[in-house]
Amino acid sequence: MVGVRSYDGSRRRYQYIDKFLNKPGPSTDPDFVPGAPTIANLEESKVLVIGAGGLGCEILKNLAMSGFKDIHVIDMDTIDVSNLNRQFLFRKDNVGMYKAEVAAASVTKRCKDVKITPFNGKIQDKDEDFYMQFKIIICGLDSIEARRWINATLVGMVDMDNPESLKPLVDGGTEGFKGQARVILPTLTSCIECQLDMHAPRAAVPLCTLATIPRQPEHCIEWAKIIAWEEHRKDTVLDTDDPEHITWLYDKALNRAKEFNIPGVTYQMTQGVVKNIIPAIASTNAIIAAACCNEAFKLATSCNPNLSNYMMYTGDDSIYTYTFEHEQKPDCPVCGNLAKTIVVNPKQTLQEFIDSLGERPEAQLKKPTLRTESTSLYFQSPPSLEEQTRPNLPKKLGELISDGEEIGVSDPAFTIDFKFKLVFQS
């Protein structure tokens, strides 16, 4: 066949992969060009992997073994001894080192023809020019907030006059024996914000339980975070990425647990509760990472249609998968152009409404600033504006806005403003 790559030493590793690339299949895109051009395109595709943890290790390994040659990885975390049971690219001697650097070195040691460039830090520290250089972005994150941020950033980058500005996002996530993989084409398909209500926030524990009768180790950790921190360190903003802050919370939670004879408080659990980290199981990570890399391979080569657009997996009792197309929402605050309707009680206070935004599955906003077209309802910062708008907090919504009025909401964790249409209960 014309253009088929011969199997010298450089391609022997990929001889089974190349069977998909050297000839068209029944579902191949009509524009698919088999052979050397597609293989070269795969090798030249610059891919960014976000996260080098449980999913990230599997994804990096799979990409390198699938023919990708230019891979970048970003992660802000360092290796903890608790990672070693499932994050197989790390060893005991690597504890304390940056995950991105060690993962990159571990993979390239075995796949010497692959280049992996590590970045240590937060994804929020990179600008649009950084993300514009990649052909595909793959998320292996354990944080919904981080997913929402990169989703909004990629949607905001799209320029209709520049097709290269559209960066496909392949997102994988796991929770115990459950997981999902999804393909997002920013502005064209359902985005992560459209699907936010599928990832409801963790149910809140009543403060009275935390303060008086904790029954679970998680209650002790929540007590340390909400009550103890406010009592002892209220002048310091809690940074969930600061090891000293996490250690302080862990020590307080551990003492609290001993007081009530509650076993099970660990440093790892403290991190998970405080940062709302989703627990991971190695086998689930492997399955979801394989699905994500399969989609990246199809996007880079056009050898088969990509997933449209959501695959869910569960392995609780048996192995079960289900694929469906999640529809784009016209009132999505990121990729839509309509305000999202929220039904509220006009007798509810502004403070109660602000608190509810953190609990509503479709919002999940922790520090919202609210305003209407004509007035400022409440500002979280700067302090002068917070003090000026604070008297609105005990006022009822019916006193501040009219039925059906739109409000703008911003949150420091996100790069976009949200629009909500507040409709009063009849």
Side-chain angles (χ1 to χ4, degrees):
M1 181 180 292
V2 176
V4 174
R5 186 77 65 90
S6 61
Y7 285 105
D8 53 19
S10 64
R11 289 302 301 175
R12 190 169 300 279
R13 180 197 296 274
Y14 309 107
Q15 58 180 307
Y16 299 105
I17 293 289
D18 287 354
K19 290 182 178 180
F20 295 99
L21 305 180
N22 281 328
K23 61 181 181 180
S27 302
T28 303
D29 190 289
D31 296 329
F32 175 73
V33 179
T38 295
I39 293 174
N41 189 51
L42 173 65
E43 294 179 343
E44 294 166 4
S45 294
K46 185 182 290 189
V47 180
L48 174 65
V49 177
I50 301 178
L55 265 178
C57 284
E58 294 278 359
I59 290 170
L60 288 170
K61 176 260 294 181
N62 291 347
L63 291 176
M65 297 296 290
S66 298
F68 288 92
K69 298 296 181 69
D70 191 0
I71 305 169
H72 297 241
V73 57
I74 182 169
D75 197 302
M76 61 178 290
D77 286 339
T78 55
I79 300 166
D80 184 79
V81 67
S82 62
N83 302 143
L84 303 181
N85 71 325
R86 63 191 182 281
Q87 298 175 23
F88 58 89
L89 297 179
F90 309 141
R91 298 293 181 266
K92 188 175 181 180
D93 293 343
N94 301 137
V95 171
M97 301 170 67
Y98 281 106
K99 288 184 176 181
E101 291 181 355
V102 176
S106 182
V107 173
T108 53
K109 181 179 179 181
R110 292 162 175 79
C111 303
K112 301 185 185 303
D113 57 339
V114 177
K115 176 186 176 184
I116 302 183
T117 305
F119 299 95
N120 306 318
K122 298 181 179 180
I123 57 174
Q124 293 88 341
D125 294 338
K126 299 296 185 180
D127 57 18
E128 288 189 1
D129 290 338
F130 173 78
Y131 295 107
M132 194 65 77
Q133 65 182 302
F134 301 105
K135 182 172 182 178
I136 302 168
I137 295 174
I138 308 175
C139 283
L141 290 163
D142 57 10
S143 164
I144 292 176
E145 288 79 7
R147 285 190 180 96
R148 294 175 71 183
W149 187 91
I150 189 64
N151 173 72
T153 298
L154 296 182
V155 171
M157 284 168 45
V158 175
D159 179 357
M160 294 303 178
D161 297 326
N162 178 18
E164 294 298 319
S165 66
L166 193 154
K167 308 297 178 182
L169 174 64
V170 181
D171 176 64
T174 64
E175 184 174 3
F177 288 102
K178 299 178 181 178
Q180 87 279 334
R182 48 189 166 179
V183 175
I184 294 164
L185 304 178
T187 72
L188 299 181
T189 65
S190 168
C191 75
I192 286 177
E193 203 73 24
C194 292
Q195 305 166 15
L196 187 61
D197 53 5
M198 298 179 65
H199 304 275
R202 187 174 56 204
V205 180
L207 277 176
C208 59
T209 298
L210 301 180
T212 58
I213 47 170
R215 295 184 291 273
Q216 300 175 14
E218 291 85 357
H219 293 171
C220 299
I221 298 170
E222 291 281 9
W223 171 86
K225 175 187 174 184
I226 297 172
I227 299 176
W229 186 275
E230 182 65 21
E231 288 181 358
H232 300 281
R233 305 186 66 170
K234 62 181 180 180
D235 295 330
T236 304
V237 177
L238 176 61
D239 183 355
T240 59
D241 295 317
D242 188 331
E244 188 273 327
H245 288 191
I246 298 296
T247 300
W248 190 91
L249 293 174
Y250 165 63
D251 290 338
K252 290 293 183 181
L254 188 61
N255 291 333
R256 178 78 166 174
K258 289 178 179 177
E259 180 182 349
F260 288 88
N261 297 317
I262 300 174
V265 173
T266 64
Y267 184 87
Q268 184 181 5
M269 177 184 285
T270 304
Q271 280 185 308
V273 171
V274 171
K275 298 176 67 175
N276 198 18
I277 293 176
I278 300 168
I281 292 176
S283 57
T284 312
N285 284 339
I287 292 168
I288 297 303
C292 290
C293 293
N294 192 33
E295 294 308 317
F297 182 80
K298 292 188 290 185
L299 286 166
T301 64
S302 300
C303 66
N304 267 287
N306 57 273
L307 173 69
S308 181
N309 50 19
Y310 197 106
M311 184 277 287
M312 57 177 291
Y313 160 83
T314 179
D316 289 337
D317 299 317
S318 60
I319 295 177
Y320 173 77
T321 63
Y322 178 69
T323 301
F324 66 96
E325 183 174 359
H326 196 289
E327 295 185 358
Q328 198 170 13
K329 294 184 177 179
D331 61 354
C332 172
V334 174
C335 68
N337 53 19
L338 300 177
K340 180 180 286 293
T341 298
I342 294 182
V343 178
V344 296
N345 185 340
K347 296 181 180 180
Q348 186 180 40
T349 66
L350 181 61
Q351 179 66 70
E352 291 170 338
F353 175 69
I354 290 174
D355 293 341
S356 74
L357 287 177
E359 301 168 0
R360 287 178 178 268
E362 73 273 25
Q364 301 186 39
L365 303 173
K366 296 179 179 179
K367 295 183 178 180
T369 288
L370 296 82
R371 61 196 174 280
T372 66
E373 188 174 332
S374 59
T375 186
S376 298
L377 296 175
Y378 181 69
F379 275 78
Q380 297 277 353
S381 62
S384 59
L385 284 178
E386 193 283 329
E387 183 178 358
Q388 184 179 338
T389 56
R390 192 185 307 158
N392 285 336
L393 292 176
K395 294 182 179 179
K396 293 179 171 56
L397 291 179
E399 302 173 22
L400 298 170
I401 61 173
S402 58
D403 188 11
E405 188 170 2
E406 292 187 8
I407 65 170
V409 182
S410 59
D411 189 292
F414 305 104
T415 58
I416 61 166
D417 287 343
F418 299 82
K419 289 192 301 182
F420 296 111
K421 180 180 179 180
L422 301 190
V423 176
F424 292 163
Q425 289 176 342
S426 56

Coordinates of all heavy atoms in Angstrom, one line a residue, residues 184-255:
I184 N -15.3 16.7 24.7 CA -15.9 18.0 24.6 C -15.3 18.8 23.5 O -14.0 19.0 23.5 CB -15.8 18.8 25.9 CG1 -16.6 18.0 27.0 CG2 -16.3 20.2 25.8 CD1 -16.3 18.4 28.4
L185 N -16.1 19.3 22.5 CA -15.6 20.1 21.5 C -16.1 21.5 21.8 O -17.3 21.8 21.6 CB -16.1 19.7 20.1 CG -15.7 18.3 19.7 CD1 -16.3 17.9 18.4 CD2 -14.2 18.1 19.7
P186 N -15.3 22.4 22.4 CA -15.8 23.7 23.0 C -16.6 24.5 22.0 O -16.3 24.6 20.8 CB -14.5 24.4 23.3 CG -13.5 23.3 23.6 CD -13.9 22.2 22.6
T187 N -17.8 24.9 22.4 CA -18.8 25.7 21.7 C -19.7 24.8 20.8 O -20.7 25.2 20.3 CB -18.3 26.9 20.9 OG1 -17.5 26.4 19.8 CG2 -17.4 27.7 21.8
L188 N -19.2 23.6 20.4 CA -19.9 22.7 19.5 C -20.7 21.7 20.2 O -21.8 21.2 19.7 CB -19.0 22.1 18.5 CG -18.1 23.0 17.6 CD1 -17.3 22.2 16.7 CD2 -19.1 24.0 16.8
T189 N -20.3 21.2 21.3 CA -20.9 20.1 22.0 C -21.1 20.5 23.5 O -20.6 21.6 24.0 CB -20.1 18.8 22.0 OG1 -18.9 19.0 22.7 CG2 -19.8 18.4 20.6
S190 N -21.9 19.7 24.2 CA -22.1 19.9 25.6 C -20.8 20.1 26.4 O -19.9 19.3 26.1 CB -22.9 18.8 26.2 OG -22.9 18.8 27.6
C191 N -20.6 21.1 27.2 CA -19.4 21.3 27.9 C -19.5 20.8 29.4 O -20.6 20.3 29.8 CB -19.0 22.8 27.9 SG -19.9 23.9 29.0
I192 N -18.5 20.9 30.2 CA -18.5 20.4 31.5 C -19.5 21.2 32.4 O -20.2 20.6 33.2 CB -17.1 20.6 32.2 CG1 -16.2 19.5 31.6 CG2 -17.1 20.5 33.7 CD1 -14.8 19.5 32.0
E193 N -19.7 22.5 32.1 CA -20.7 23.3 32.8 C -22.1 22.8 32.5 O -23.0 22.8 33.4 CB -20.5 24.8 32.5 CG -21.0 25.7 33.6 CD -20.2 25.8 34.8 OE1 -19.0 25.5 34.8 OE2 -20.8 26.1 35.9
C194 N -22.3 22.4 31.3 CA -23.6 21.9 30.9 C -24.0 20.7 31.7 O -25.2 20.4 32.0 CB -23.7 21.5 29.4 SG -23.6 22.9 28.2
Q195 N -23.0 19.9 32.1 CA -23.2 18.6 32.8 C -22.9 18.7 34.3 O -22.9 17.7 35.0 CB -22.2 17.6 32.2 CG -22.3 17.5 30.7 CD -21.1 16.7 30.0 OE1 -20.3 16.1 30.7 NE2 -20.9 16.8 28.7
L196 N -22.8 20.0 34.8 CA -22.5 20.1 36.2 C -23.5 19.5 37.1 O -23.1 19.0 38.2 CB -22.3 21.6 36.5 CG -21.8 22.0 37.9 CD1 -20.4 21.5 38.1 CD2 -21.8 23.5 38.1
D197 N -24.8 19.5 36.8 CA -25.7 19.0 37.7 C -25.6 17.5 37.9 O -26.3 16.9 38.7 CB -27.2 19.4 37.3 CG -27.5 19.0 35.9 OD1 -26.6 18.4 35.2 OD2 -28.6 19.4 35.4
M198 N -24.8 16.8 37.0 CA -24.6 15.4 37.2 C -23.5 15.1 38.3 O -23.3 13.9 38.7 CB -24.1 14.8 35.9 CG -25.1 14.9 34.7 SD -24.5 14.2 33.2 CE -24.3 12.4 33.6
H199 N -22.9 16.2 38.8 CA -21.9 16.0 39.8 C -22.3 16.9 41.0 O -21.7 17.9 41.2 CB -20.5 16.5 39.3 CG -20.1 15.7 38.0 ND1 -19.4 14.5 38.1 CD2 -20.2 16.0 36.7 CE1 -19.2 14.0 36.9 NE2 -19.7 14.9 36.0
A200 N -23.3 16.4 41.7 CA -23.8 17.2 42.8 C -22.8 17.3 43.9 O -22.0 16.4 44.2 CB -25.1 16.5 43.3
P201 N -22.8 18.5 44.6 CA -21.8 18.7 45.7 C -22.1 17.7 46.8 O -23.2 17.3 47.0 CB -22.0 20.1 46.1 CG -23.4 20.5 45.6 CD -23.6 19.7 44.4
R202 N -21.1 17.4 47.6 CA -21.3 16.6 48.8 C -22.3 17.2 49.7 O -22.3 18.4 50.0 CB -19.9 16.4 49.5 CG -19.9 15.4 50.6 CD -18.5 15.2 51.1 NE -17.9 16.5 51.5 CZ -16.6 16.7 51.6 NH1 -15.8 15.8 51.2 NH2 -16.2 17.9 52.0
A203 N -23.2 16.3 50.3 CA -24.2 16.8 51.2 C -23.6 17.4 52.4 O -22.6 16.9 53.0 CB -25.1 15.6 51.6
A204 N -24.1 18.5 52.8 CA -23.6 19.3 53.9 C -24.0 18.6 55.3 O -25.1 18.0 55.4 CB -24.1 20.7 53.9
V205 N -23.0 18.6 56.2 CA -23.3 18.0 57.5 C -23.8 19.2 58.5 O -23.1 20.2 58.5 CB -22.0 17.4 58.1 CG1 -22.3 16.8 59.5 CG2 -21.5 16.3 57.2
P206 N -24.9 19.0 59.2 CA -25.4 20.1 60.1 C -24.3 20.5 61.1 O -23.5 19.6 61.6 CB -26.5 19.4 60.8 CG -27.0 18.3 59.9 CD -25.8 17.8 59.2
L207 N -24.2 21.8 61.3 CA -23.1 22.3 62.2 C -23.3 21.7 63.6 O -22.3 21.5 64.3 CB -23.2 23.8 62.2 CG -22.4 24.5 61.1 CD1 -22.6 26.0 61.2 CD2 -20.9 24.2 61.1
C208 N -24.5 21.5 64.0 CA -24.7 21.0 65.4 C -24.1 19.6 65.5 O -23.6 19.3 66.6 CB -26.2 20.9 65.7 SG -27.2 19.9 64.6
T209 N -24.1 18.8 64.5 CA -23.4 17.5 64.5 C -21.9 17.6 64.6 O -21.3 17.0 65.4 CB -23.8 16.7 63.2 OG1 -25.2 16.5 63.2 CG2 -23.1 15.3 63.2
L210 N -21.4 18.6 63.8 CA -19.9 18.8 63.9 C -19.5 19.3 65.3 O -18.5 18.9 65.8 CB -19.5 19.8 62.8 CG -19.8 19.5 61.4 CD1 -19.4 20.6 60.4 CD2 -19.2 18.1 61.0
A211 N -20.3 20.2 65.8 CA -19.9 20.8 67.1 C -20.1 20.0 68.3 O -19.4 20.2 69.3 CB -20.7 22.2 67.2
T212 N -21.1 19.1 68.3 CA -21.5 18.4 69.5 C -21.3 16.9 69.5 O -20.7 16.3 70.4 CB -22.9 18.7 69.9 OG1 -23.8 18.3 68.9 CG2 -23.1 20.2 70.2
I213 N -21.8 16.2 68.4 CA -21.8 14.8 68.4 C -21.3 14.2 67.1 O -22.0 13.6 66.3 CB -23.2 14.2 68.7 CG1 -24.3 14.9 67.8 CG2 -23.5 14.3 70.2 CD1 -25.6 14.2 67.9
P214 N -20.0 14.4 66.8 CA -19.4 13.8 65.5 C -19.5 12.3 65.6 O -19.3 11.7 66.6 CB -18.0 14.3 65.5 CG -17.7 14.6 66.9 CD -18.9 15.1 67.6
R215 N -19.9 11.7 64.4 CA -20.0 10.2 64.4 C -19.1 9.6 63.4 O -18.9 8.4 63.5 CB -21.5 9.9 64.0 CG -22.5 10.3 65.1 CD -23.9 9.8 64.7 NE -24.4 10.5 63.5 CZ -25.1 11.6 63.6 NH1 -25.3 12.2 64.7 NH2 -25.5 12.2 62.4
Q216 N -18.5 10.3 62.5 CA -17.6 9.8 61.5 C -16.3 10.6 61.5 O -16.3 11.7 61.9 CB -18.3 9.9 60.1 CG -19.6 9.1 60.0 CD -20.3 9.3 58.7 OE1 -19.7 9.8 57.8 NE2 -21.5 9.0 58.6
P217 N -15.2 10.0 61.0 CA -13.9 10.7 60.9 C -14.1 11.9 60.0 O -13.4 13.0 60.3 CB -13.0 9.7 60.3 CG -13.8 8.6 59.7 CD -15.0 8.6 60.5
E218 N -14.9 11.9 59.0 CA -15.1 13.1 58.1 C -15.7 14.2 58.9 O -15.4 15.4 58.7 CB -16.0 12.7 57.0 CG -15.4 11.8 56.0 CD -15.6 10.3 56.3 OE1 -16.1 10.0 57.4 OE2 -15.2 9.4 55.5
H219 N -16.5 13.9 59.9 CA -17.1 15.0 60.8 C -16.0 15.7 61.5 O -16.1 16.9 61.7 CB -18.1 14.4 61.7 CG -19.4 13.8 61.1 ND1 -20.3 13.1 61.7 CD2 -19.8 13.9 59.8 CE1 -21.3 12.7 60.9 NE2 -21.0 13.2 59.7
C220 N -15.0 15.0 62.0 CA -14.0 15.6 62.8 C -13.1 16.5 61.9 O -12.7 17.6 62.3 CB -13.1 14.5 63.4 SG -13.9 13.4 64.5
I221 N -12.9 16.1 60.6 CA -12.2 16.9 59.7 C -12.9 18.2 59.3 O -12.4 19.3 59.3 CB -11.8 16.1 58.5 CG1 -10.9 14.9 58.8 CG2 -11.1 17.0 57.4 CD1 -10.7 13.9 57.7
E222 N -14.2 18.0 59.1 CA -15.1 19.2 58.8 C -15.1 20.2 60.0 O -15.1 21.4 59.8 CB -16.5 18.8 58.4 CG -16.6 18.0 57.1 CD -16.6 18.9 55.9 OE1 -16.3 20.1 56.1 OE2 -16.9 18.5 54.8
W223 N -15.1 19.6 61.2 CA -15.1 20.4 62.4 C -13.8 21.3 62.4 O -13.8 22.5 62.7 CB -15.2 19.6 63.6 CG -14.9 20.3 64.9 CD1 -15.9 21.0 65.7 CD2 -13.7 20.4 65.6 NE1 -15.3 21.5 66.8 CE2 -13.9 21.2 66.8 CE3 -12.4 20.0 65.4 CZ2 -12.9 21.5 67.7 CZ3 -11.4 20.3 66.3 CH2 -11.7 21.1 67.4
A224 N -12.7 20.6 62.1 CA -11.4 21.3 62.1 C -11.3 22.4 61.1 O -10.8 23.5 61.3 CB -10.2 20.3 61.9
K225 N -11.9 22.1 59.9 CA -11.9 23.1 58.8 C -12.9 24.3 59.1 O -12.5 25.4 58.8 CB -12.3 22.4 57.5 CG -12.5 23.3 56.3 CD -13.1 22.5 55.1 CE -13.3 23.5 54.0 NZ -14.0 22.8 52.8
I226 N -14.1 24.0 59.6 CA -15.1 25.0 59.7 C -15.0 25.8 61.0 O -15.1 27.0 61.1 CB -16.5 24.4 59.5 CG1 -16.6 23.9 58.1 CG2 -17.6 25.5 59.7 CD1 -17.9 23.1 57.8
I227 N -14.9 25.0 62.1 CA -15.0 25.6 63.5 C -13.6 25.9 64.1 O -13.3 27.0 64.5 CB -15.8 24.7 64.4 CG1 -17.2 24.5 63.8 CG2 -15.8 25.2 65.8 CD1 -18.1 23.5 64.6
A228 N -12.7 24.9 64.1 CA -11.4 25.1 64.7 C -10.6 26.2 64.0 O -9.9 27.0 64.6 CB -10.6 23.8 64.8
W229 N -10.6 26.1 62.7 CA -9.8 27.1 61.9 C -10.3 28.5 62.2 O -9.6 29.5 62.4 CB -9.9 26.8 60.4 CG -9.0 27.7 59.6 CD1 -9.3 28.9 59.1 CD2 -7.6 27.4 59.2 NE1 -8.2 29.5 58.5 CE2 -7.2 28.6 58.5 CE3 -6.8 26.4 59.4 CZ2 -5.9 28.6 57.9 CZ3 -5.5 26.4 58.9 CH2 -5.1 27.5 58.1
E230 N -11.6 28.7 62.3 CA -12.2 30.0 62.5 C -11.9 30.5 63.9 O -11.7 31.7 64.1 CB -13.8 29.9 62.3 CG -14.5 31.3 62.5 CD -14.1 32.3 61.5 OE1 -13.6 31.9 60.4 OE2 -14.3 33.5 61.7
E231 N -11.8 29.6 64.9 CA -11.5 30.0 66.3 C -10.0 30.4 66.4 O -9.7 31.3 67.1 CB -11.8 28.8 67.2 CG -13.3 28.6 67.4 CD -13.6 27.5 68.4 OE1 -12.6 26.8 68.8 OE2 -14.8 27.2 68.6
H232 N -9.1 29.6 65.8 CA -7.7 29.8 66.1 C -6.9 30.5 65.0 O -5.9 31.1 65.3 CB -7.1 28.4 66.3 CG -7.6 27.6 67.4 ND1 -7.3 27.9 68.7 CD2 -8.5 26.6 67.4 CE1 -7.9 27.0 69.5 NE2 -8.7 26.3 68.8
R233 N -7.4 30.5 63.7 CA -6.7 31.1 62.6 C -7.6 31.9 61.7 O -7.4 31.9 60.5 CB -5.9 30.0 61.9 CG -5.1 29.1 62.8 CD -4.2 28.1 62.0 NE -3.2 28.8 61.1 CZ -2.3 28.1 60.5 NH1 -2.2 26.8 60.6 NH2 -1.4 28.8 59.7
K234 N -8.5 32.6 62.3 CA -9.5 33.3 61.4 C -8.9 34.4 60.6 O -9.5 34.8 59.6 CB -10.6 33.9 62.3 CG -10.2 34.9 63.3 CD -11.4 35.4 64.1 CE -11.0 36.4 65.1 NZ -12.2 36.9 65.9
D235 N -7.7 34.9 61.0 CA -7.0 36.0 60.2 C -6.2 35.4 59.0 O -5.7 36.2 58.2 CB -6.1 36.8 61.1 CG -6.9 37.6 62.2 OD1 -8.1 37.9 61.9 OD2 -6.4 37.8 63.3
T236 N -6.1 34.1 58.9 CA -5.4 33.4 57.8 C -6.4 32.8 56.9 O -7.2 32.0 57.3 CB -4.4 32.4 58.4 OG1 -3.5 33.0 59.3 CG2 -3.6 31.8 57.3
V237 N -6.2 33.1 55.6 CA -7.1 32.4 54.6 C -6.6 31.0 54.4 O -5.5 30.7 54.2 CB -7.1 33.1 53.3 CG1 -7.9 32.4 52.2 CG2 -7.6 34.6 53.4
L238 N -7.6 30.0 54.6 CA -7.2 28.6 54.4 C -6.8 28.3 53.0 O -7.6 28.5 52.0 CB -8.4 27.7 54.8 CG -8.2 26.2 54.6 CD1 -7.0 25.7 55.5 CD2 -9.5 25.5 55.0
D239 N -5.6 27.8 52.8 CA -5.1 27.4 51.5 C -5.0 25.8 51.5 O -4.2 25.2 52.1 CB -3.7 28.0 51.2 CG -3.2 27.6 49.8 OD1 -3.9 26.9 49.1 OD2 -2.1 28.1 49.4
T240 N -6.0 25.2 50.7 CA -6.0 23.8 50.7 C -4.8 23.1 50.0 O -4.7 21.9 50.0 CB -7.3 23.3 50.1 OG1 -7.4 23.8 48.8 CG2 -8.5 23.8 50.9
D241 N -4.0 23.9 49.4 CA -2.8 23.4 48.7 C -1.6 23.6 49.5 O -0.5 23.2 49.1 CB -2.6 24.0 47.3 CG -3.8 23.7 46.4 OD1 -4.2 22.5 46.3 OD2 -4.3 24.6 45.7
D242 N -1.7 24.2 50.7 CA -0.6 24.4 51.6 C -0.4 23.2 52.6 O -1.3 23.0 53.4 CB -0.8 25.7 52.4 CG 0.4 26.1 53.2 OD1 1.2 25.2 53.6 OD2 0.6 27.3 53.4
P243 N 0.7 22.5 52.5 CA 0.9 21.3 53.4 C 0.8 21.7 54.9 O 0.3 20.9 55.7 CB 2.3 20.8 53.0 CG 2.5 21.3 51.6 CD 1.8 22.6 51.5
E244 N 1.3 22.9 55.2 CA 1.2 23.3 56.6 C -0.2 23.4 57.1 O -0.5 23.0 58.2 CB 2.0 24.6 56.8 CG 2.2 25.0 58.3 CD 1.0 25.8 58.8 OE1 0.4 26.6 58.1 OE2 0.7 25.6 60.0
H245 N -1.1 24.0 56.3 CA -2.5 24.1 56.6 C -3.2 22.8 56.8 O -3.9 22.6 57.7 CB -3.2 25.0 55.6 CG -2.8 26.4 55.6 ND1 -3.5 27.4 54.9 CD2 -1.8 27.1 56.3 CE1 -2.9 28.6 55.1 NE2 -1.9 28.4 55.9
I246 N -2.9 21.9 55.8 CA -3.5 20.6 55.9 C -3.0 19.8 57.1 O -3.8 19.1 57.8 CB -3.1 19.7 54.6 CG1 -3.7 20.4 53.4 CG2 -3.7 18.3 54.7 CD1 -5.2 20.5 53.3
T247 N -1.7 19.9 57.5 CA -1.2 19.3 58.6 C -1.8 19.8 59.9 O -2.2 19.0 60.8 CB 0.3 19.5 58.7 OG1 1.0 18.9 57.5 CG2 0.9 18.8 60.0
W248 N -2.0 21.1 60.0 CA -2.7 21.7 61.1 C -4.1 21.1 61.3 O -4.5 20.8 62.4 CB -2.8 23.2 61.0 CG -3.2 24.0 62.2 CD1 -2.4 24.5 63.2 CD2 -4.6 24.3 62.5 NE1 -3.2 25.1 64.1 CE2 -4.5 25.0 63.8 CE3 -5.8 24.1 61.9 CZ2 -5.7 25.5 64.4 CZ3 -6.9 24.5 62.6 CH2 -6.9 25.2 63.8
L249 N -4.9 21.1 60.2 CA -6.2 20.5 60.2 C -6.2 19.1 60.6 O -7.1 18.6 61.4 CB -6.9 20.7 58.9 CG -7.2 22.1 58.4 CD1 -7.7 22.1 57.0 CD2 -8.2 22.8 59.3
Y250 N -5.2 18.3 60.1 CA -5.1 16.9 60.4 C -4.9 16.7 61.9 O -5.6 15.8 62.5 CB -4.0 16.3 59.6 CG -3.6 14.9 60.1 CD1 -4.4 13.8 60.1 CD2 -2.3 14.7 60.6 CE1 -4.1 12.6 60.6 CE2 -1.9 13.5 61.1 CZ -2.8 12.4 61.0 OH -2.4 11.2 61.5
D251 N -4.0 17.5 62.5 CA -3.7 17.3 63.9 C -5.0 17.7 64.8 O -5.3 16.9 65.7 CB -2.6 18.3 64.3 CG -1.2 17.8 63.7 OD1 -1.1 16.6 63.4 OD2 -0.3 18.7 63.6
K252 N -5.7 18.7 64.4 CA -6.9 19.1 65.1 C -8.0 18.0 65.0 O -8.6 17.6 66.0 CB -7.4 20.4 64.6 CG -6.6 21.6 65.0 CD -6.6 21.9 66.5 CE -5.7 23.1 66.8 NZ -5.7 23.4 68.3
A253 N -8.1 17.5 63.8 CA -9.1 16.5 63.5 C -8.8 15.2 64.3 O -9.7 14.5 64.8 CB -9.3 16.2 62.0
L254 N -7.5 14.8 64.3 CA -7.1 13.6 65.0 C -7.4 13.7 66.5 O -7.9 12.7 67.1 CB -5.6 13.4 64.7 CG -5.0 12.0 65.2 CD1 -5.7 10.9 64.5 CD2 -3.5 12.0 64.9
N255 N -7.1 14.8 67.1 CA -7.4 15.0 68.5 C -8.9 15.0 68.8 O -9.3 14.4 69.8 CB -6.8 16.3 69.0 CG -5.3 16.3 69.0 OD1 -4.7 15.3 69.2 ND2 -4.6 17.5 68.9

